Amino acid sequence: MTRTVPRRTARSAANAPGPRSGARRGKVRVASGQGFWGDDLEAPVRQVNGGDIDYLMLDYLAEVTMSIMQKQRSRDPRAGYARDFVPLMERIFPACVERGIRVVTNAGGVNPAECARAVAGAGRRAGAGGGARIGVVTGDDLMDRLDELLASGHPLANMETGRPLAEIRDRVRSANVYLGARPIVAALDAGATVVVTGRSTDTALTYGPLAWEFGWPRDGWDLLASGVVAGHINECGAQASGGNCSAEWWSIPDLAGVGFPIIEAGPDGSFVVTKHPGSGGAVSLRTVKEQILYEMGDPSSYITPDVVADFTTIRLSEEGGDRVGVHGIRGRPPTPSLKVSVAHSAGYKAVGTLVYAWPDAAAKARAAARILRERLDRLGLAFEKVLVELVGWDATHGHLAGDPPPDLPEVQLRVGVRGPDRAAVERFTREVAPLVLTGPPSVTGFAGGRPRVQEIVAYWPALIDRRAVEPRVAVDMVEV
């Protein structure tokens, strides 16, 4: 039977007891098991079964993921979270309970409470019994408060354009504020063995457990900054252990069985990046450096809800045997604002493809694109943008690719259109297939049939005064 432990009020969660005064262990191992929704389904299982870890961190969310989940919840009030997480937990629940491994994840998406209920069911089916308690972090979803916030003087202006959110309010699909480690610490402090959050920062999934384990104070800026760097290295899964590695990628061993990274941290904030012995991939200075540089803006100001980390202070040391030491990181107090990720409808798109073969493959594809454009013009169809690419030649580098060679054996013509009028985009989808018999010769493949019209979901980054959000964070406890 699932039992909900009495709800901690918004204020009590915000003022929950801080991290414990002393470390439970001399070192804590936080394993990365998921870098995005759709990542290697076996990686978390390998992390749990491959060796000693204390925490399993699972990162499912990206900016566009929240809008997808919001659309799912609008169709089904029980949806809106990463459903892959539930069967995964059913597989690993017994091992996690037996070995004392805690799981921290943002798989809750826009419906963390429902996700927790589903995970509780998975725990019962797996026979986890009373050895697991599921903490639920809420408060990041601003959709129900959006009009109230706008009316009370929070413009949620686009950070890139300065436009106020009111201009597109009727097209907003999701609005979630990034929460940091404090609610995760509160859930762990309340006894959670599985913590399910919504739009937590990716890094907090790693440094939240470290802050709780080692009793890091809320103003321990250097310690928290070290945790942020650890979380940044952990957040993209195997990207820190040899996957997607651009430096001599061919030398990375056994990517088929790549080992995901593990952060082995001490109470002073220093840590080692490693992986399970015998697993594939590699942890080296080059793989760790590449991940550190990933999605980096101003390296001296990596802003999180809990601390601003200075990545220019990072010091790395090669320790051999797939071990890289990290230390020396400095931090400073957080900003008065929190970041909000807003997704809004921005029209419709469709993409059609045709493959042309030698001889003159590129010339045929370009002629087909011209013919298609002429037919669209004659139909009076207007679009915000029409994109023509020759996949196999200029789709990656655009005009920098220059002119294709005449002996190009084959090329895929890809034409995409974007616009506010769904009917116009729909008509475009009916104009690609006729080119097979009414255009240049040697079409060898019509990929996927008629193109599918898709709604465009655009990203709107904004800031909000943290005082409008933090008091609304709550932590529920659901016992399996």
Side-chain angles (χ1 to χ4, degrees), residues 422-434:
R422 184 185 179 98
V425 176
E426 181 71 43
R427 183 56 192 269
F428 158 79
T429 68
R430 298 172 180 270
E431 295 300 318
V432 177

Side-chain angles (χ1 to χ4, degrees), residues 457-475:
V457 178
Y459 176 53
W460 182 287
L463 295 177
I464 191 169
D465 188 329
R466 66 169 60 240
R467 292 173 297 182
V469 177
E470 278 195 321
R472 297 184 65 88
V473 174
V475 177

Side-chain angles (χ1 to χ4, degrees), residues 399-411:
H399 71 278
L400 296 176
D403 293 325
D407 59 347
L408 197 65
E410 63 183 38
V411 68

